[in-house]
Amino acid sequence: DADVTQTPRNRITKTGKRIMLECSQTKGHDRMYWYRQDPGLGLRLIYYSFDVKDINKGEISDGYSVSRQAQAKFSLSLESAIPNQTALYFCATSATGTREETQYFGPGTRLLVL
Amino acid sequence: QKEVEQNSGPLSVPEGAIASLNCTYSDRVSQSFFWYRQYSGKSPELIMSIYSNGDKEDGRFTAQLNKASQYVSLLIRDSQPSDSATYLCAVGERGSGNTGKLIFGQGTTLQVKP
């Protein structure tokens, strides 16, 4: 079984709709991250969380919100989707302690906003 | 602004050759460095991490770090067509300590031709 899972894997939605992307992990890591990837722009950090009560904005948080429901679950919401949020979204995890910057990625969610 | 720079490529090498991928970073206090491999449409996969100046070898992969020159490279020996992918360089961000975040380069596309 995959250590980091993301649902859905693909999603098509319309402008103005609210959608949620979910991430779950069985690695026992306390840190979780949401990134988006666009062609030519690399990976950009949206939000990150170092434990259940800790939520931090990344470099491109506008238009997004997150919820850390449990240590193993971290959800990303688009409150009102817009076409320029079309991208590949990745969840990642890491563990506090030695080598805590080492991040492991989920399989990704491909989102298309029409 | 802290930056990680990579040549986007594509870098084309014949099968069996050595592929050399390069990365420079702007924050001279950075301490941790990573190489991820990403196949088209897939998630980044960690292949190497390096923390000290010098070389680190793992199978056909060698990471090289020169903190004085703010330069990190990845060598792939005996390149195979299956090595064709985008290689992402990532650097651990430093604040008063580790921030727990990675700064990613845009990636270098490697093509290994049979």
Side-chain angles (χ1 to χ4, degrees):
Chain A
D1 287 341
D3 291 330
V4 184
T5 58
Q6 292 183 234
T7 57
R9 296 293 311 279
N10 294 280
R11 179 73 183 268
I12 300 173
T13 191
K14 294 182 179 179
T15 296
K17 294 292 187 180
R18 182 181 188 276
I19 67 164
M20 178 183 290
L21 310 182
E22 299 185 331
C23 177
S24 295
Q25 52 107 353
T26 58
K27 298 180 78 68
H29 288 174
D30 52 344
R31 301 182 171 197
M32 299 186 74
Y33 309 78
W34 276 105
Y35 292 90
R36 66 177 278 176
Q37 188 174 41
D38 301 273
L41 294 179
L43 283 162
R44 294 184 290 169
L45 183 63
I46 306 172
Y47 270 95
Y48 60 105
S49 168
F50 286 173
D51 66 39
V52 174
K53 297 181 180 180
D54 176 77
I55 301 289
N56 303 282
K57 292 182 178 180
E59 62 179 303
I60 55 162
S61 59
D62 287 350
Y64 301 95
S65 62
V66 291
S67 174
R68 186 80 183 267
Q69 300 96 322
Q71 185 183 51
K73 296 184 182 295
F74 193 34
S75 300
L76 176 72
S77 293
L78 286 67
E79 297 301 327
S80 180
I82 55 177
N84 76 0
Q85 292 178 313
T86 293
L88 190 52
Y89 289 83
F90 290 107
C91 173
T93 73
S94 68
T96 297
T98 304
R99 307 311 184 212
E100 59 194 11
E101 307 96 328
T102 306
Q103 295 182 17
Y104 299 90
F105 285 80
T109 294
R110 189 172 298 278
L111 175 65
L112 174 60
V113 182
L114 299 175
Chain B
Q1 183 172 350
K2 299 168 186 175
E3 295 180 339
V4 176
E5 299 286 343
Q6 295 180 256
N7 188 320
S8 62
L11 172 65
S12 183
V13 301
E15 184 176 355
I18 295 175
S20 178
L21 305 164
N22 304 314
C23 172
T24 59
Y25 59 95
S26 62
D27 189 356
R28 65 175 55 250
V29 300
S30 296
Q31 299 291 322
S32 54
F33 307 87
F34 306 86
W35 284 100
Y36 286 83
R37 178 176 62 199
Q38 186 176 24
Y39 293 113
S40 181
K42 303 296 185 182
S43 61
E45 173 193 10
L46 180 68
I47 54 173
M48 292 286 286
S49 59
I50 187 166
Y51 303 90
S52 302
N53 277 329
D55 294 359
K56 178 181 178 182
E57 186 175 319
D58 184 359
R60 294 186 297 112
F61 299 99
T62 298
Q64 299 176 317
L65 176 61
N66 184 325
K67 291 182 180 179
S69 299
Q70 295 175 230
Y71 177 93
V72 58
S73 65
L74 179 70
L75 301 178
I76 307 174
R77 291 182 300 281
D78 189 23
S79 295
Q80 300 296 310
S82 59
D83 295 325
S84 297
T86 296
Y87 289 81
L88 304 174
C89 173
V91 177
E93 185 185 73
R94 297 281 291 182
S96 56
N98 293 332
T99 68
K101 296 189 288 184
L102 293 178
I103 304 169
F104 285 87
Q106 294 184 5
T108 298
T109 299
L110 173 65
Q111 297 175 346
V112 181
K113 298 190 174 181

